[in-house]
Amino acid sequence: MLASAMNGATDAGADAELVHLYDYSYTGCKSCFACKLKNAKTNGLCVIKDALRPVLEKALESDVIVTALTRTERD
């Protein structure tokens, strides 16, 4: 279904990128709430600078984010 959504988006002229979070090394949320500070450079962006940071920056610039859970050999 995700492939169909991406094909439909690209057919309509959108830029689409598939990101597998398993491919990135990241620590996850530490509940520091730095991303919640208004009028700060970190507003909406995690202050932890790991491999997920560029993905989060792209997500902030995106008009639409489609998420999906997939079964992997790890399941």
Side-chain angles (χ1 to χ4, degrees):
M1 286 195 307
L2 185 56
S4 293
M6 287 192 61
N7 288 338
T10 55
D11 288 348
D15 292 327
E17 179 181 356
L18 180 62
V19 175
H20 291 280
L21 294 181
Y22 284 120
D23 295 341
Y24 295 87
S25 176
Y26 56 95
T27 58
C29 182
K30 302 289 185 188
S31 297
C32 68
F33 297 104
C35 61
K36 305 279 187 217
L37 297 174
K38 291 186 178 184
N39 301 320
K41 289 190 329 184
T42 59
N43 187 21
L45 187 63
C46 185
V47 295
I48 299 171
K49 294 181 180 174
D50 57 17
L52 196 59
R53 179 110 186 211
V55 175
L56 294 173
E57 289 172 347
K58 284 183 182 181
L60 279 174
E61 296 172 3
S62 299
D63 294 324
V64 175
I65 299 173
V66 178
T67 61
L69 297 174
T70 59
R71 294 190 62 87
T72 64
E73 293 182 25
R74 295 182 192 111
D75 292 342

